Every structure is written in structure tokens, then in C-alpha cells.
Amino acid sequence: MQRPAVFAALLGLARAGSAIGDFWLQSDFCARVKGASDDHPVTYQDPVTGEKTTHGTASGRKACLRHCITYTAAQAVVAGAGARALGIRVHPAAGAAGLAVSFASHYAADRRIPGEGLLERIATATGKAGFYRLADFGINGAFELDGAWHHGWETLAALVATTAASTR
């Protein structure tokens, strides 16, 4: 198997793991609280008990960390199982480095503190602030820019993971 084919396979597998981790494994609590800060607290209402709790920086960091761990675990499981099924041997250090790139970039983007989050700051600096705030006509600009950010970093992560990969 040629290296470009290995890269394409790992990218597709990592992308699938990412979607599972982001949309199926992420809890409602983590999705809502991961951007909380002391200056911008988030009130979470438990959908089962109806109990309301308010969360600041520590809770936001912990929720984002928990989400990024399950997200990265999903990528590891899907990419690992898929690579095995395809006969691709990923070097353990390269695979771990690729997952580290994905984890770190995901955490950096998902700590969306209003006015302070990385993606919002990049959008503002590049003239995309209006698109970032867009939430109309069936479009959510922050969501779309978040997805583009993750896809770009997942591509780099797959390139890293492809280093020293071989086939059986």
C-alpha cells in the first residue's frame, strides 16, 4: 500500500472517529459547560432532574477535558480498528503523536469563552467575526468554523500518524 493511500485511510478513519466523539459521545453537560469561565458562567439544567447548577472556569476546563478525552478515544478506537482491518501498521509513537495533535487542537478550539475563545479571536483577526456570530438562515457560523478548524488539524494528525506506517 502506498503512503498516500495509508494517509487517506487514516484521515477517513480519524474523521469518522471524530464525528462519533463529537456528536455521539459528548454529553449534553460537556457540550454546554465546556466554554464556561468565571467571567462568563454557564447555568446548566439537568434534563432528568431539572436541577440547575452554575459553572465557571474550573468546571468549563474539566468539561472540555472530559469531552476531548472521549473524542480522542473514539478516534483511537476507530482508526486503530480500521487500520488493523485494512492491514495498516501505524507506528505507536506516530499514532500517539497524531492523537496528541488532535486532542490539543480540539481542546484549544472547544474552550469557547465568549470574546476570548481561540476560534472567535482568529475569526475576528481574519475578518470573519460576522460569519462566526451568524446564527440564521439555517447556518451557524461558529459551528462551521469549528468544523473547518478540526478538519484541518485532523489532516495534520493523519499526516503525523502516517509517518513510518507500513502494511502487513
Side-chain angles (χ1 to χ4, degrees), residues 16-94:
S18 169
I20 292 166
D22 237 359
F23 303 117
W24 286 101
L25 297 181
Q26 180 173 205
S27 70
D28 182 61
F29 178 84
C30 287
R32 294 178 186 274
V33 175
K34 65 187 177 185
S37 71
D38 292 341
D39 291 336
H40 299 280
V42 171
T43 299
Y44 177 77
Q45 183 171 358
D46 187 292
V48 176
T49 66
E51 178 186 358
K52 289 184 179 181
T53 52
T54 302
H55 303 274
T57 301
S59 294
R61 287 178 179 156
K62 190 186 294 186
C64 194
L65 180 64
R66 188 177 312 132
H67 163 56
C68 290
I69 288 169
T70 59
Y71 169 90
T72 306
Q75 284 186 312
V77 168
V78 172
R84 185 163 182 78
L86 294 171
I88 299 169
R89 287 189 177 151
V90 177
H91 189 280

Side-chain angles (χ1 to χ4, degrees), residues 102-117:
S102 184
F103 176 91
S105 64
H106 201 88
Y107 184 91
D110 276 21
R111 277 291 288 148
R112 280 192 218 119
I113 300 165
E116 300 174 31

Side-chain angles (χ1 to χ4, degrees), residues 70-151:
T70 59
Y71 169 90
T72 306
Q75 284 186 312
V77 168
V78 172
R84 185 163 182 78
L86 294 171
I88 299 169
R89 287 189 177 151
V90 177
H91 189 280
L99 290 169
V101 166
S102 184
F103 176 91
S105 64
H106 201 88
Y107 184 91
D110 276 21
R111 277 291 288 148
R112 280 192 218 119
I113 300 165
E116 300 174 31
L118 178 64
L119 290 183
E120 185 176 359
R121 286 185 287 138
I122 291 172
T124 299
T126 59
K128 296 287 185 191
F131 184 69
Y132 182 87
R133 289 188 299 273
L134 178 63
D136 207 350
F137 309 106
I139 296 173
N140 181 308
F143 179 80
E144 295 294 340
L145 291 173
D146 175 87
W149 169 271
H150 295 319
H151 292 187

